């Protein structure tokens, strides 16, 4: 199942069910996570920025948001992630959605320190893929404890490549559920922009059937991201600045193995809500329709209290 199939389900429900009140009355009580996601989307619709626009990413960089894309800042972005089952991550800057499409992107700022990029000259893509597979398998032990489906890394969707002139890294793997059928596996398309004090990542989650088209949007976002003066990679001062404890390859084979757990969390969420959709729970579809509508809601929406700060950090 595609990890972004949630949007297809939403569109189908919105289009096919014209009497939501009647359907809700005849169905079982709404799942709390469906209610939480609808509230998260409603809250996000009030603070969204529609492109074209310039998004300030902390004090580090500016992102030129293209037309027909929507940016959701924190903390509303965190509410959406929480409703999907992901833990709070203080490095998250926001979420990006297309007005038309079936992907989403997670923007993050990691204050890791200056990352030396000299190892990019010598890395071997096959070795990196092997390390990523082994790390993902090790992380499956933790996913099992959490009741999250195990995943496996199949192959590169795009082998790692680093542009030393612009200090940009791109790589992508095809990851799928380890058990059961997964005809349209998820693809995590990772882009990184290195700066003086760390890096900004824009991680697109899409599917194998859509990556050929969607990756152009990810690359555009990466190209539209510029660090501020004084925060650029070239502004590094070896006499005063912190150097990261890991190199560039770790963003692929080391740190990334843990972050692929986001796939499994979203997959579990979608698998559950696909069944609820069949049962007639339509709150999710209504939430998506409201979210992508330009019309602002007049009535305030109650949003569940956020207790995420007590949860362990999980990256994507």
């Amino acid at each position: 199942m595609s990890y972004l199939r949630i949007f297809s389900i939403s569109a189908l429900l919105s289009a096919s069910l014209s009497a939501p009140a009647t359907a809700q009355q005849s169905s079982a009580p709404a799942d709390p996570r469906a209610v939480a996601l609808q509230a998260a989307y409603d809250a996000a619709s009030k603070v969204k920025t529609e492109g074209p626009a310039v998004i300030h990413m902390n004090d580090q960089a500016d992102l030129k948001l293209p037309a027909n894309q929507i940016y959701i800042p924190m903390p509303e972005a965190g509410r959406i992630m929480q409703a999907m089952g992901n833990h709070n991550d203080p490095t998250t800057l926001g979420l990006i959605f297309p007005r038309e499409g079936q992907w989403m992107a997670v923007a993050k700022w990691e204050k890791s320190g200056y990352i030396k990029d000299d190892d990019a000259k010598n890395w071997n893509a096959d070795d990196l893929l092997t390390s990523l597979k082994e790390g993902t398998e090790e992380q499956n032990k933790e996913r099992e404890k959490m009741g999250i489906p195990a995943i496996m890394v199949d192959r590169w969707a795009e082998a790692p490549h680093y542009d030393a002139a612009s200090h940009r890294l791109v790589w992508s793997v095809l990851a799928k559920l380890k058990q059961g059928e997964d005809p349209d596996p998820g693809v995590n398309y990772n882009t990184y922009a290195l700066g003086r004090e760390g890096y900004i990542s824009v991680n697109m989650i899409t599917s194998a059937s859509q990556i050929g088209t969607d990756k152009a949007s990810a690359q555009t976002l990466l190209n539209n991201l510029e660090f501020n003066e004084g925060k650029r990679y070239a502004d590094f001062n070896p006499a005063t600045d912190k150097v990261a404890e890991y190199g560039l390859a770790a963003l692929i084979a080391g740190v990334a193995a843990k972050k692929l757990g986001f796939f499994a969390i979203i997959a579990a969420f979608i698998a559950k809500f696909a069944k609820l959709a069949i049962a007639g729970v339509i709150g999710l579809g209504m939430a998506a329709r409201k979210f992508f509508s330009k019309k602002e809601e007049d009535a305030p929406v109650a949003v569940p209290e956020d207790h995420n700060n007590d949860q362990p950090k999980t990256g994507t």
Side-chain angles (χ1 to χ4, degrees):
M1 175 179 288
S2 165
Y3 298 133
L4 264 292
R5 192 64 54 78
I6 187 170
F7 296 109
S8 298
I9 295 172
S10 299
L12 175 63
L13 290 175
S14 295
S16 63
L17 298 176
S18 58
T22 301
Q24 285 179 326
Q25 290 172 0
S26 61
S27 66
D31 188 286
R33 290 178 65 180
V35 175
L37 186 63
Q38 181 169 355
Y41 275 135
D42 287 342
S45 71
K46 299 179 185 302
V47 298
K48 68 179 183 284
T49 296
E50 300 190 40
V54 175
I55 306 299
H56 302 301
M57 313 199 90
N58 289 357
D59 63 343
Q60 293 292 320
D62 284 344
L63 172 67
K64 294 180 181 177
L65 184 71
N68 298 318
Q69 292 186 19
I70 298 169
Y71 181 81
I72 306 301
M74 291 292 285
E76 288 78 12
R79 292 188 185 280
I80 293 175
M81 298 288 280
Q82 180 187 12
M84 287 184 174
N86 205 38
H87 293 304
N88 180 52
D89 185 349
T91 69
T92 300
L93 296 171
L95 301 177
I96 302 167
F97 294 88
R99 183 163 289 282
E100 294 182 1
Q102 295 184 6
W103 57 264
M104 82 175 190
V106 185
K108 296 185 176 230
W109 159 244
E110 185 70 45
K111 195 172 183 179
S112 61
Y114 178 85
I115 296 179
K116 295 182 178 180
D117 61 359
D118 49 357
D119 60 347
K121 300 176 183 178
N122 302 315
W123 66 27
N124 180 287
D126 291 338
D127 291 343
L128 289 174
L129 184 61
T130 298
S131 295
L132 188 54
K133 287 181 176 181
E134 292 174 351
T136 301
E137 187 62 34
E138 187 65 25
Q139 285 297 313
N140 278 334
K141 298 176 182 178
E142 295 301 317
R143 294 177 189 119
E144 183 178 357
K145 294 177 183 178
M146 297 171 63
I148 298 171
I151 60 173
M152 61 179 290
V153 173
D154 186 13
R155 56 182 170 81
W156 292 120
E158 185 164 331
H161 56 90
Y162 176 69
D163 186 336
S166 64
H167 311 291
R168 302 291 201 263
L169 169 67
V170 176
W171 64 274
S172 177
V173 292
L174 189 150
K176 59 184 180 180
L177 298 177
K178 196 171 182 181
Q179 301 293 332
E181 295 185 5
D182 200 356
D184 191 13
V187 173
N188 205 19
Y189 196 88
N190 304 276
T191 67
Y192 302 79
L194 303 187
R196 177 181 181 178
E197 300 172 352
Y199 63 89
I200 291 176
S201 63
V202 180
N203 178 4
M204 175 181 283
I205 300 97
T206 181
S207 63
S209 63
Q210 297 295 323
I211 185 59
T213 300
D214 291 345
K215 69 179 182 179
S217 296
Q219 292 166 347
T220 296
L221 288 169
L222 180 63
N223 293 336
N224 287 0
L225 182 63
E226 292 291 339
F227 279 93
N228 301 330
E229 186 174 354
K231 301 292 186 179
R232 298 165 184 160
Y233 196 80
D235 296 325
F236 172 70
N237 185 340
T240 60
D241 293 348
K242 173 187 174 182
V243 177
E245 297 177 354
Y246 48 84
L248 200 60
L251 297 181
I252 304 169
V255 179
K258 295 181 179 180
K259 296 185 176 182
L260 285 174
F262 179 63
F263 279 129
I265 293 172
I266 298 301
F269 174 81
I270 294 170
K272 181 176 182 180
F273 275 87
K275 296 176 182 178
L276 290 175
I278 295 173
V281 176
I282 65 171
L284 187 57
M286 295 299 294
R289 186 168 66 184
K290 290 179 182 179
F291 174 68
F292 287 107
S293 172
K294 289 185 177 181
K295 179 180 179 182
E296 295 293 338
E297 298 291 335
D298 294 328
V301 178
V303 180
E305 184 178 354
D306 189 352
H307 296 289
N308 256 6
N309 291 333
D310 296 328
Q311 299 185 37
K313 173 182 173 182
T314 300
T316 56

